[in-house]
């Protein structure tokens, strides 16, 4: 018997393969052995600072390692993932994994939800769960598709014989959506790297009719004065500048030496926990549970995601980097919505963001950080549905 929400629209051009997560016991045992045998760094002044000014602390790493070995249960995560319909489909020779909730309504609106780094499709499961609790397959107003980007989790890695960029990701996802029967139109939503992919879909692909983002990568726009900014907007700009100065070292490493850092973090799960765990601690408004951090790191480790996922950072090095969102080539002429969360890495003023596209919707929030879909799924869901209801009837 098929899962609820698993019947694809009759317009689908492909028959994707149903997918179930089933990690072999031997792989789990190997991971546990590596965790147990992993040596930690000696105590230093830097790793003893409780405010994490120099990165994760020894105490935090010791505690998380113990939880990983003693209380975390991958099977619980696996069961939760498998409670959602999943498939794989071939696009341009890549095997693309995706989670989906498909409606039986003939006028359901297709929406593709696009994650970034160090995230995965896991980020959107809380929102999908809200939708499936609120609706039945017969009443769901949307088709919701959450792909794993090439190189992430259960999707194939990018090709080994040529360069692969966010523009390539956008082309692959556009083809996936058209293959699923949505050539006449769909809406894209994205954060982090997913925001660049979603912007690329809106700019370069006709079938993408509108886009909703919760982060905007851009420089200070020309001709925009800061004189009229309020205190919170000024604080947001300060946060962006502090991140560029003190928090972006990882991106420089990803972009300039992806092979080296890929090899380093592919050898030791506790090293991976330190490198990525730092982001789950620093980039949020309120602390996430240890359970979430461990399941995300475990998923990355078991699927060898890290070395395969950081290729997009190379686009920023050497100069000229990938065009910023306020580059005229990246201007969104289609309906554009944005959700503002104050603890984003770069919580930018509306006056800045609206220079990057035809901004018709703005959602302002008092709480929330970089992982909005995970931290504030109710707020992001509400914004997305309001945006879709506003723009879809007028989309050509």
């Amino acid at each position: 018997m098929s899962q609820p929400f698993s019947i694809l629209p009759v317009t689908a051009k492909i028959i994707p393969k149903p997918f179930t997560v089933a990690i072999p016991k031997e792989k789990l045992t190997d991971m546990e052995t590596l965790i147990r045998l992993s040596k930690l760094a000696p105590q230093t002044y830097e790793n003893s600072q409780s405010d994490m000014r120099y990165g994760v602390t020894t105490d935090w790493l010791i505690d998380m390692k113990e939880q990983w070995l003693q209380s975390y249960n991958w099977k619980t995560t696996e069961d939760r993932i498998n409670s959602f319909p999943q498939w794989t489909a071939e696009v341009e020779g890549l095997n693309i994994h995706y989670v989906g909730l498909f409606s039986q309504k003939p006028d359901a609106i297709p929406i593709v939800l696009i994650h970034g780094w160090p995230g995965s499709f896991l980020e959107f499961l809380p929102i999908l769960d809200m939708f499936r609790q609120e609706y039945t397959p017969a009443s769901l107003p949307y088709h919701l598709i959450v792909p794993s980007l090439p190189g992430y989790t259960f999707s194939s890695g990018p090709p080994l014989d040529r360069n692969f960029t966010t523009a390539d990701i956008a082309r692959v996802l556009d083809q996936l959506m058209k293959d699923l029967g949505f050539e006449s139109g769909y809406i894209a939503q994205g954060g982090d790297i997913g925001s660049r992919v979603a912007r690329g879909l809106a700019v370069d692909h006709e079938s993408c009719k509108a886009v909703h983002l919760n982060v905007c990568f851009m420089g200070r726009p020309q001709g925009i004065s800061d004189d009229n900014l309020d205190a919170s907007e000024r604080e947001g700009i300060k946060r962006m500048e502090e991140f560029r100065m003190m928090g972006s070292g990882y991106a420089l490493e990803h972009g300039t030496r992806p092979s080296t850092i890929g090899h380093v973090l592919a050898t030791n799960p506790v090293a991976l926990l330190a490198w990525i765990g730092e982001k789950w601690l620093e980039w949020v408004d309120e602390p996430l549970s240890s359970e979430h951090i461990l399941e995300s790191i475990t998923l990355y480790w078991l699927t060898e995601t890290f070395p395969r996922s950081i290729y997009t950072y190379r686009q920023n090095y050497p100069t000229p980097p990938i065009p910023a969102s306020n580059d005229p080539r990246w201007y969104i002429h289609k309906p554009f919505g944005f959700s503002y969360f104050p603890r984003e890495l770069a919580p930018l003023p509306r006056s800045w963001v609206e220079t990057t596209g035809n901004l018709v919707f703005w959602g302002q929030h008092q709480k929330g950080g970089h992982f909005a879909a995970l931290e504030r799924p109710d707020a992001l869901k509400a914004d997305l549905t309001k945006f879709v209801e506003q723009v879809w009837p007028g989309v050509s």
Side-chain angles (χ1 to χ4, degrees):
M1 183 176 179
S2 62
Q3 286 179 286
F5 303 100
S6 65
I7 300 176
L8 273 65
V10 295
T11 53
K13 300 177 181 179
I14 59 172
I15 303 176
K17 296 179 181 178
F19 183 84
T20 300
V21 179
I23 301 297
K25 184 177 180 180
E26 301 77 35
K27 202 166 188 177
L28 295 170
T29 300
D30 288 347
M31 181 186 70
E32 182 178 328
T33 300
L34 288 170
I35 295 170
R36 182 175 292 108
L37 295 178
S38 293
K39 183 180 178 181
L40 300 183
Q43 202 78 17
T44 66
Y45 171 79
E46 291 82 7
N47 63 34
S48 302
Q49 302 304 304
S50 60
D51 61 3
M52 286 185 52
R53 74 186 77 170
Y54 300 117
V56 296
T57 66
T58 299
D59 288 346
W60 180 81
L61 207 54
I62 289 173
D63 181 60
M64 291 294 284
K65 179 179 177 180
E66 185 68 15
Q67 290 185 52
W68 212 352
L69 290 171
Q70 301 300 327
S71 61
Y72 174 71
N73 184 0
W74 166 255
K75 187 64 167 60
T76 300
T77 299
E78 195 169 81
D79 289 345
R80 184 167 72 94
I81 295 171
N82 288 333
S83 73
F84 295 89
Q86 301 168 81
W87 298 264
T88 60
E90 185 173 318
V91 182
E92 296 187 6
L94 303 178
N95 201 40
I96 302 300
H97 164 263
Y98 63 96
V99 182
L101 297 182
F102 290 99
S103 173
Q104 295 175 10
K105 290 171 64 69
D107 59 349
I109 302 167
I111 305 174
V112 58
L113 303 164
I114 311 171
H115 69 81
W117 188 94
S120 70
F121 68 90
L122 288 179
E123 288 180 68
F124 287 107
L125 295 190
I127 288 180
L128 294 188
D129 191 48
M130 289 179 179
F131 277 112
R132 71 177 179 179
Q133 296 296 329
E134 184 176 353
Y135 298 101
T136 67
S139 63
L140 180 64
Y142 317 104
H143 300 294
L144 300 160
I145 296 90
V146 184
S148 293
L149 299 185
Y152 287 77
T153 68
F154 304 105
S155 287
S156 298
L160 300 180
D161 59 350
R162 60 183 172 88
N163 195 23
F164 198 81
T165 68
T166 50
D168 295 301
I169 298 174
R171 188 183 64 254
V172 167
L173 295 192
D174 178 68
Q175 188 61 53
L176 174 66
M177 293 298 285
K178 290 189 288 191
D179 287 347
L180 291 174
F182 308 131
E183 189 164 10
S184 62
Y186 62 84
I187 290 175
Q189 197 289 323
D192 192 79
I193 291 166
S195 73
R196 284 184 168 171
V197 176
R199 184 176 287 270
L201 285 169
V203 170
D204 294 332
H205 297 276
E206 179 62 29
S207 293
C208 181
K209 301 300 184 181
V211 64
H212 178 275
L213 308 178
N214 52 278
V215 67
C216 194
F217 297 100
M218 64 182 296
R220 183 180 293 271
Q222 293 182 352
I224 300 293
S225 171
D226 290 353
D227 294 344
N228 297 323
L229 299 182
D230 62 28
S232 64
E233 290 174 322
R234 292 178 186 276
E235 183 63 28
I237 294 173
K238 180 181 177 182
R239 179 170 172 79
M240 175 190 69
E241 292 171 345
E242 289 176 347
F243 171 74
R244 286 177 173 174
M245 176 66 69
M246 298 300 294
S248 60
Y250 79 97
L252 181 62
E253 182 70 20
H254 288 190
T256 61
R257 292 295 183 270
S259 176
T260 302
I261 193 62
H263 280 298
V264 169
L265 298 186
T267 62
N268 188 306
V270 175
L272 185 69
L273 171 63
W275 189 263
I276 296 182
E278 176 189 273
K279 312 313 175 195
W280 290 112
L281 292 171
E282 289 187 349
W283 293 358
V284 297
D285 188 359
E286 298 175 352
L288 296 171
S289 69
S290 298
E291 179 81 6
H292 172 76
I293 295 174
L294 288 174
E295 75 173 5
S296 295
I297 304 300
T298 303
L299 179 64
Y300 262 50
W301 178 263
L302 294 173
T303 58
E304 300 181 303
T305 287
F306 180 81
R308 303 185 300 126
S309 68
I310 57 175
Y311 56 93
T312 57
Y313 287 87
R314 288 189 290 100
Q315 291 176 254
N316 285 314
Y317 308 96
T319 54
I322 184 173
S325 297
N326 52 324
D327 185 295
R329 290 171 290 176
W330 281 75
Y331 187 89
I332 299 171
H333 293 277
K334 298 169 184 176
F336 168 35
F338 195 88
S339 292
Y340 173 96
F341 294 92
R343 298 300 292 174
E344 178 56 76
L345 303 180
L348 300 177
R350 178 172 181 165
S351 59
W352 287 30
V353 174
E354 64 188 4
T355 66
T356 75
N358 176 28
L359 188 68
V360 299
F361 175 89
W362 178 269
Q364 183 89 16
H365 301 283
Q366 300 304 311
K367 293 183 178 181
H370 185 64
F371 304 102
L374 187 68
E375 297 177 65
R376 300 290 169 185
D378 51 346
L380 189 63
K381 174 179 177 287
D383 280 3
L384 180 59
T385 54
K386 289 176 185 176
F387 171 69
V388 172
E389 290 166 4
Q390 176 181 329
V391 304
W392 190 257
V395 171
S396 60

